[in-house]
Amino acid sequence: MISAPTTPDATASLDLARAVERSVERSRPLSSADLFALAADAWGGTLAEGAFTPRDAYDAAELGLHLHLLRAVGPLPSDPGAAREALAEVERLSALLPSQTRRTAEQNDYQQFSTPAAYAGLCAWVSGVGEGHRVIEPSAGTGALCAFALAAGATVYANELSGRRADTLAVLLDEAGQDPSQTLTRENADHLDAILAPSVRADVVLMNPPFSQTAGRLGRRRVVTVGTNHVLQALKRLEPGGRLVAILSAGVRRGRPTHRPFFQALDAAPYQLRADVEVGGAVYRPYGTSVRTRLLVVDRALPLGTGTASERVEAVAQGVAAALDALTPLRAATRAPRPL
């Protein structure tokens, strides 16, 4: 049961999300004009009047999609062929929403480019997340990665700095039967390990951190190690036998001097970099950018050297289906269950 929103904006956002959820359920396409008309009804004023921003409408629309996926998609099948079909259906549903062609200053300054739903599903699939797992999402946005983890039966600890986006996450967590007061934080993930309670540990980390912005601390100055620093923070909370899946900028490369210390950390015990897949920018185009990204999979070894090391998956994929094909050997590999 969804708890009542605490502010007029949160109420309007949830009203719009529910309207979008109904449209997606009926496979009804929404144009930008349709979305902004629904938003005007929810906020009681138009975009031109300043009643809401494009980001307000887009985030609420994403929540509507994620609420539908939480209920309709369920745990992704482990079989690669069945998973490919499931993610194709997620892509079809995502395409019902309008492309996010209007940016706001906040979106640019904080790099609020949400994870496309099918891409998020791919990350959840290769992570092997399942019932009983504990998941951390350090910069959870509107909850695309969280939705698939929740659908798989995991307990999700989500962190999001943006107040508006954290409010949408509270709705998503609540709908999945979790208490946001216990599993949602609203902090800067630059210092995630210091922020989370000591008891919060992860069997799986799913993350899409900012690529080069520092949550306003350095103005508009770009810092290319922001995303990698977020990954290193999250790894501190990963349990032995656990897996981290991260979406970073494609500019994060082993051969760049700036990123050499990062890859050295991933190569050092107890961690093992299992996959490095560059993904084409077309995946992100409906979300307002054409940035190429890099999907990294990192495992933390079990104690006493148990488990078997394997070759790293390295590939370039132009879409979600191709990336799934490349990652299939890694998903099929045996992973130790979480200790009870």
Side-chain angles (χ1 to χ4, degrees):
M1 189 72 177
I2 297 295
S3 56
T6 56
T7 67
D9 276 348
T11 299
S13 178
L14 181 55
D15 288 345
L16 177 54
R18 290 301 187 192
V20 171
E21 182 186 10
R22 291 190 292 271
S23 290
V24 173
E25 183 177 7
R26 298 166 186 163
S27 291
R28 175 175 171 254
L30 287 173
S31 67
S32 292
D34 294 331
L35 177 62
F36 292 144
L38 289 172
D41 289 341
W43 266 271
T46 67
L47 180 64
E49 292 168 341
F52 61 93
T53 69
R55 194 67 257 159
D56 290 328
Y58 293 147
D59 283 357
E62 290 173 18
L63 174 60
L65 173 64
H66 301 158
L67 289 170
H68 176 74
L69 294 177
L70 181 65
R71 185 181 71 254
V73 173
L76 291 170
S78 58
D79 174 73
R84 190 179 299 107
E85 291 180 4
L87 294 181
E89 173 64 6
V90 172
E91 287 186 320
R92 183 190 72 82
L93 294 171
S94 300
L96 297 172
L97 304 187
S99 295
Q100 299 184 11
T101 56
R102 303 194 190 192
R103 294 191 185 185
T104 64
E106 178 193 10
Q107 180 181 13
N108 289 330
D109 289 347
Y110 290 84
Q111 294 190 331
Q112 293 173 342
F113 296 103
S114 301
T115 312
Y119 199 2
L122 170 67
C123 292
W125 180 77
V126 77
S127 79
V129 64
E131 187 172 358
H133 284 158
R134 300 160 296 174
V135 176
I136 291 176
E137 216 293 36
S139 300
T142 61
L145 289 160
C146 294
F148 287 96
L150 291 166
T155 297
V156 175
Y157 297 92
N159 179 70
E160 173 54 43
L161 180 61
S162 164
R164 181 190 60 255
R165 294 184 141 203
D167 287 342
T168 69
L169 284 170
V171 172
L172 187 67
L173 292 166
D174 195 47
E175 179 125 325
Q178 295 192 188
D179 182 357
S181 70
Q182 301 299 313
T183 58
L184 175 63
T185 51
R186 301 169 182 247
E187 305 288 348
N188 185 343
D190 280 358
H191 305 287
L192 183 77
D193 186 46
I195 291 165
L196 296 179
S199 60
V200 178
R201 306 291 300 177
D203 307 295
V204 172
V205 174
L206 299 171
M207 61 189 304
N208 180 5
F211 291 168
S212 60
Q213 292 291 79
T214 57
R217 289 187 295 106
L218 298 177
R220 296 191 175 183
R221 176 185 169 192
R222 293 188 176 274
V223 181
V224 296
T225 56
V226 166
T228 56
N229 289 342
H230 280 216
V231 171
L232 295 176
Q233 283 285 303
L235 280 173
K236 294 180 179 181
R237 292 302 180 112
L238 186 64
E239 290 279 50
R243 174 166 288 180
L244 176 146
V245 183
I247 297 171
L248 298 171
S249 165
V252 176
R253 296 193 301 271
R254 183 177 291 272
R256 293 186 66 178
T258 303
H259 299 306
R260 188 172 295 130
F262 172 67
F263 283 98
Q264 288 173 342
L266 301 190
D267 291 335
Y271 304 115
Q272 181 186 7
L273 179 60
R274 300 293 306 281
D276 181 340
V277 178
E278 185 174 331
V279 179
V283 171
Y284 264 89
R285 194 165 294 136
Y287 286 73
T289 184
S290 294
V291 63
R292 297 182 68 84
T293 56
R294 187 169 307 284
L295 190 156
L296 299 181
V297 179
V298 184
D299 286 350
R300 179 169 183 172
L302 288 164
L304 304 178
T306 55
T308 303
S310 60
E311 292 186 5
R312 182 183 306 140
V313 173
E314 295 186 347
V316 176
Q318 295 308 315
V320 169
L324 185 146
D325 290 341
L327 291 165
T328 291
L330 184 55
R331 177 62 177 84
T334 301
R335 296 181 61 230
R338 177 172 70 88
L340 298 177

